[in-house]
Amino acid sequence: MWFQSAHAEVILLQLLLFLFIVFNLIIIFMKPQVSLYEHYKKSILKTIIFLSFLLLLLGGFTLFFIGWTYFNMVLKNIERESLLLAEKHYTKFIYKTIVAHTATPEEAIIFERMHYYETLKSSLSSFDGIRISIQDQGEKDSLLFSRKISFTPLGISFIVGFSKGYVISWYGTRILFLFTAIFLSGALIYYFQMVFLKKIKNSLERITKEITSKMRPSPVGFYEIDLLIDNINQALERERDHAERMATQQKKAALGTLAGGYAHEFNNLLQILSSNLELIEYYVQKKECGNLLPLLIKSRETILRGQNLARRILYFTKITETEKTNLSQFLRENFETLRIFVPRAINLELELPSTDLLIPLSEESFKEVLINLVKNAFEAIEEREKLDKDFEKKISIRARKEQEFTVLEISDTGIGMSEEVKSRLFEPFFTTKGIGRGTGLGLYMVHNIIHNAQGNIEVESEYLRGTTFKLYLPLVKEETLTPAPESLPLKSRSPTEQRFKKVLIVDDEPDIREALRDFIKDLVEEVITAENALEAWKILEKQPFDLCFVDLFMPEKGGDWLLKKVKTMKEKSPKIVIMTGYSGEMEDSIQEALKEGLVIKILRKPFSLQEIVKILTQKEGEV
């Protein structure tokens, strides 16, 4: 027996059950968790608790049935044994009283009865919890399971049974063992389930990090999750493809706006040239040559304006690899480009500090930010113009230094935004524009670019009052700036000091070839022309030349092909002057050839013929 006191057993058992129930109820009715991991954890715990109660209930009924059967079976066996023992003693009684004549019948029966009770108590001592009461009816009330046994020949009548304390102790100890077994089993199940869920949780957290960092999630070894990962990867690929297409459309839309502005400027320049040429033709026919010089000077100035405009287009659209940008210098140099980008009806203001502001963004990234914000600004003004004709149409770009940050403000007097639109401003694919007018990726890309540079964006906007974007970017120390070397004017020198005597001109445009040949023929000994690089190489194989003017883009074989061929020449190779309107992807190889000394100059079309004179008269080592 584990417990001698049935009362203590019952109190302890009730206390354990009460604590168990309270603990389970607290867990079941606790505040729900939001995470998937906590949800499954709670579900497992509820399942284990339910199964524990079910097993405890079934186990209790089973124990009751087993105990009821056991106690009654024991009492039945005791009854049989008692009666057999009584028969044995009765036989002895008959023998002594009738055959042996050793005692009177009354004395013999008293003796046998006492002897019987002693023998019975001795035989019942092997049964735990058995109590025997001789003709004591009051004892029956304290016995939970009992039987009355009577044997008339010996005049025997007694009650045998199990006490309430023993029965309760028997049930209590076994229920306690059952409760402990169920509790330990549930704890083990819960532990192993938690280990399993922990592994899944860690895997899902890793997958989440991979998805948020735009990586391709990897399998984790669970069939259902791996299927989910495969679908996520396919969805991510579709999203990336869609985002790339949308970004391309966004850039095309911005490029279209920029191209329209440049087309307007170029048409103005062409109009000036066309008018000047007609006036020149008119004065030549009238033989009034005195009026030609001013027109020729204006035409040349107009061509230079077109040349600078074309260079700004190339600079603003080419991809750069710088990691830092001088914001002040960039905005000053490209203000005219922005002026072309913005419709003329809108006033564009630029306010910059006198000092340089270096930001941790490449020129390419800063262009992306600037174009998107300025484009949004003038589109907002156009939207407001549909509702209100009488307002100041203005876009302001201001930059300043604020503690350790460069602050760039782009303000407009456009239609403004509601609080709902502001809250979703940087969501991908969110746009308030009509179908076909916006992709919803412009400000999303701006947000990513600024935050990747450890910066921040603030937006102030009011409906029909305008919007201000404030970009906060970490300020890079000014000493990291390297000033660009100033170009020095070349000294003019006489034809007798010429370094190049024999010149080859390679260009697919006949008018350019003829103009250069006619201009150069009086400055050198010999000038030969070729219409493409293949023809030029055949000429170079036959005779040596000192200098080659080579166009970069030509049919069949271009200038880059000729550069590679000239590098292979064993004898003295000619120096190369590249003529191009746009070098594009060949810019790196051209710059490398400049360092090697094979290319001595790059002439950006349109160029002045005076630059040809400077090249022909320069000394060796000068550029």
Side-chain angles (χ1 to χ4, degrees):
M1 292 290 295
W2 279 48
F3 303 98
Q4 296 300 323
S5 173
H7 184 66
E9 292 173 2
V10 173
I11 292 176
L12 181 60
L13 183 61
Q14 289 177 346
L15 180 62
L16 289 174
L17 289 175
F18 175 75
L19 293 176
F20 182 70
I21 292 171
V22 170
F23 173 73
N24 292 328
L25 290 176
I26 290 174
I27 293 176
I28 290 175
F29 295 104
M30 66 189 298
K31 185 179 179 180
Q33 301 293 329
V34 294
S35 69
L36 185 64
Y37 171 73
E38 294 295 336
H39 171 73
Y40 279 108
K41 176 181 174 182
K42 187 176 178 182
S43 298
I44 290 173
L45 197 56
K46 284 183 177 180
T47 303
I48 292 174
I49 292 171
F50 173 75
L51 291 177
S52 299
F53 273 117
L54 183 62
L55 290 174
L56 198 59
L57 185 63
L58 292 175
F61 279 114
T62 304
L63 281 174
F64 175 78
F65 177 76
I66 292 173
W68 185 84
T69 305
Y70 169 74
F71 290 126
N72 282 282
M73 181 185 68
V74 170
L75 290 178
K76 188 175 182 180
N77 290 336
I78 289 174
E79 182 181 6
R80 289 175 181 175
E81 187 175 347
S82 299
L83 292 174
L84 287 174
L85 186 62
E87 287 285 351
K88 178 181 177 182
H89 280 272
Y90 181 70
T91 303
K92 286 183 180 181
F93 162 72
I94 294 297
Y95 175 75
K96 289 180 179 179
T97 57
I98 298 176
V99 179
H101 299 285
T102 56
T104 64
E106 291 79 8
E107 293 175 349
I109 199 168
I110 292 171
F111 173 79
E112 291 301 330
R113 186 184 296 169
M114 292 178 59
H115 183 60
Y116 168 76
Y117 278 125
E118 292 297 329
T119 306
L120 182 61
K121 287 181 179 180
S122 176
S123 65
L124 293 181
S125 63
S126 60
F127 295 95
D128 292 332
I130 287 294
R131 288 187 182 182
I132 184 170
S133 176
I134 301 173
Q135 293 180 343
D136 186 358
Q137 300 300 324
E139 182 68 20
K140 187 176 181 181
D141 297 334
S142 64
L143 300 178
L144 193 59
F145 285 90
S146 63
R147 279 177 180 267
K148 184 177 180 181
I149 300 173
S150 300
F151 189 72
T152 304
L154 283 177
I156 299 170
S157 180
F158 63 93
I159 297 171
V160 62
F162 295 92
S163 66
K164 291 181 180 179
Y166 178 81
V167 173
I168 293 174
S169 175
W170 189 90
Y171 276 115
T173 53
R174 280 154 180 80
I175 289 176
L176 182 61
F177 284 130
L178 176 65
F179 169 79
T180 305
I182 291 173
F183 181 79
L184 291 177
S185 300
L188 287 174
I189 293 172
Y190 180 74
Y191 171 75
F192 287 113
Q193 287 292 335
M194 285 302 299
V195 171
F196 177 76
L197 284 179
K198 190 73 173 178
K199 187 176 180 182
I200 296 179
K201 179 184 178 183
N202 294 337
S203 301
L204 291 175
E205 286 178 350
R206 176 175 58 78
I207 294 169
T208 303
K209 289 180 181 178
E210 290 173 350
I211 293 175
T212 53
S213 60
K214 299 182 180 180
M215 295 174 59
R216 182 182 177 86
S218 55
V220 296
F222 303 106
Y223 179 72
E224 293 81 1
I225 297 180
D226 288 346
L227 288 178
L228 176 63
I229 290 173
D230 186 52
N231 290 327
I232 289 174
N233 286 329
Q234 293 178 13
L236 288 174
E237 290 176 2
R238 289 194 299 269
E239 182 182 351
R240 291 189 188 107
D241 293 340
H242 186 57
E244 288 177 2
R245 289 196 297 270
M246 292 296 99
T248 301
Q249 292 181 9
Q250 188 85 10
K251 290 181 179 180
K252 286 181 178 179
L255 187 60
T257 306
L258 187 63
Y262 275 113
H264 176 78
E265 293 296 318
F266 274 117
N267 285 334
N268 286 341
L269 297 178
L270 291 175
Q271 180 60 48
I272 295 171
L273 288 174
S274 176
S275 301
N276 287 346
L277 289 174
E278 289 185 15
L279 284 173
I280 290 171
E281 183 180 4
Y282 172 75
Y283 287 132
V284 168
Q285 290 176 354
K286 292 182 64 177
K287 296 182 180 180
E288 297 179 3
C289 297
N291 297 326
L292 297 181
L293 186 58
L295 292 173
L296 291 171
I297 293 174
K298 288 181 181 179
S299 298
R300 183 181 178 186
E301 291 175 350
T302 303
I303 292 173
L304 290 175
R305 284 176 57 189
Q307 181 182 7
N308 291 331
L309 187 60
R311 287 178 179 174
R312 287 201 300 270
I313 294 174
L314 294 177
Y315 176 73
F316 204 76
T317 56
K318 75 176 181 179
I319 296 176
T320 58
E321 297 180 356
T322 59
E323 295 182 356
K324 305 177 185 67
T325 298
N326 187 333
L327 183 142
S328 303
Q329 180 182 344
F330 183 90
L331 289 175
R332 288 191 192 98
E333 292 178 352
N334 293 278
F335 181 72
E336 289 301 322
T337 303
L338 289 175
R339 177 64 271 176
I340 294 170
F341 185 58
V342 175
R344 286 187 173 272
I346 300 174
N347 183 26
L348 182 64
E349 295 181 350
L350 180 64
E351 183 180 328
L352 297 173
S354 57
T355 58
D356 289 328
L357 299 173
L358 193 64
I359 58 175
L361 280 181
S362 68
E363 290 185 355
E364 180 69 17
S365 298
F366 186 64
K367 290 174 196 174
E368 189 83 23
V369 171
L370 192 62
I371 286 177
N372 276 293
L373 292 181
V374 172
K375 185 172 183 289
N376 276 357
F378 72 70
E379 286 180 349
I381 292 174
E382 290 174 349
E383 287 296 318
R384 181 178 177 182
E385 195 173 11
K386 296 176 182 178
L387 304 175
D388 181 11
K389 299 294 184 182
D390 187 19
F391 71 99
E392 184 183 10
K393 303 174 183 66
K394 183 175 69 174
I395 297 175
S396 301
I397 302 174
R398 294 181 294 272
R400 67 179 186 275
K401 179 180 178 182
E402 189 173 295
Q403 296 179 353
E404 297 301 320
F405 288 91
T406 294
V407 183
L408 177 66
E409 293 185 8
I410 299 180
S411 304
D412 65 71
T413 57
I415 195 168
M417 291 179 285
S418 64
E419 291 299 323
E420 181 182 358
V421 173
K422 282 174 61 178
S423 64
R424 302 185 60 190
L425 196 58
F426 300 112
E427 290 183 12
F429 306 111
F430 173 73
T431 178
T432 58
K433 302 171 186 176
I435 299 175
R437 294 196 57 200
T439 62
L441 285 175
L443 291 178
Y444 172 69
M445 289 188 291
V446 169
H447 179 270
N448 286 345
I449 290 171
I450 298 301
H451 277 261
N452 288 339
Q454 307 303 315
N456 191 28
I457 304 178
E458 292 182 359
V459 183
E460 297 175 359
S461 185
E462 186 177 350
Y463 187 65
L464 292 179
R465 296 287 183 180
T467 302
T468 299
F469 282 85
K470 292 183 180 180
L471 278 57
Y472 292 84
L473 287 163
L475 187 66
V476 181
K477 293 183 179 179
E478 296 183 0
E479 53 264 29
T480 57
L481 286 170
T482 54
E486 297 181 358
S487 57
L488 300 175
L490 296 171
K491 297 179 180 179
S492 60
R493 45 179 69 91
S494 63
T496 57
E497 299 174 348
Q498 288 175 2
R499 171 184 169 195
F500 305 107
K501 308 294 183 181
K502 199 170 181 180
V503 176
L504 176 64
I505 300 173
V506 187
D507 201 303
D508 61 315
E509 287 289 344
D511 293 340
I512 295 177
R513 292 200 307 270
E514 292 173 6
L516 290 177
R517 182 192 60 196
D518 293 342
F519 184 78
I520 292 175
K521 65 181 180 181
D522 295 330
L523 301 176
V524 297
E525 294 180 0
E526 183 180 358
V527 179
I528 295 178
T529 61
E531 64 180 10
N532 56 54
L534 187 60
E535 181 183 348
W537 177 244
K538 292 179 180 178
I539 294 173
L540 288 173
E541 285 183 317
K542 295 178 181 178
Q543 52 183 313
F545 284 84
D546 301 317
L547 183 64
C548 294
F549 289 90
V550 181
D551 186 23
L552 197 56
F553 293 97
M554 292 179 288
E556 295 185 19
K557 301 294 182 181
D560 59 327
W561 179 84
L562 186 60
L563 275 176
K564 294 176 183 177
K565 284 293 185 180
V566 171
K567 285 183 180 180
T568 63
M569 295 180 66
K570 296 180 180 180
E571 299 179 2
K572 185 179 180 182
S573 60
K575 298 299 181 182
I576 305 294
V577 174
I578 294 293
M579 303 181 298
T580 181
Y582 173 61
S583 56
E585 298 175 354
M586 301 179 191
E587 185 70 31
D588 293 339
S589 59
I590 293 174
Q591 294 296 332
E592 186 65 29
L594 272 171
K595 294 178 182 178
E596 294 175 355
L598 178 61
V599 175
I600 62 172
K601 186 72 175 177
I602 300 176
L603 293 177
R604 306 286 181 179
K605 294 180 180 178
F607 53 83
S608 171
L609 294 179
Q610 294 301 320
E611 295 185 56
I612 302 293
V613 176
K614 294 177 183 178
I615 294 172
L616 293 175
T617 58
Q618 72 182 13
K619 291 182 180 180
E620 189 170 358
E622 293 181 347
V623 178

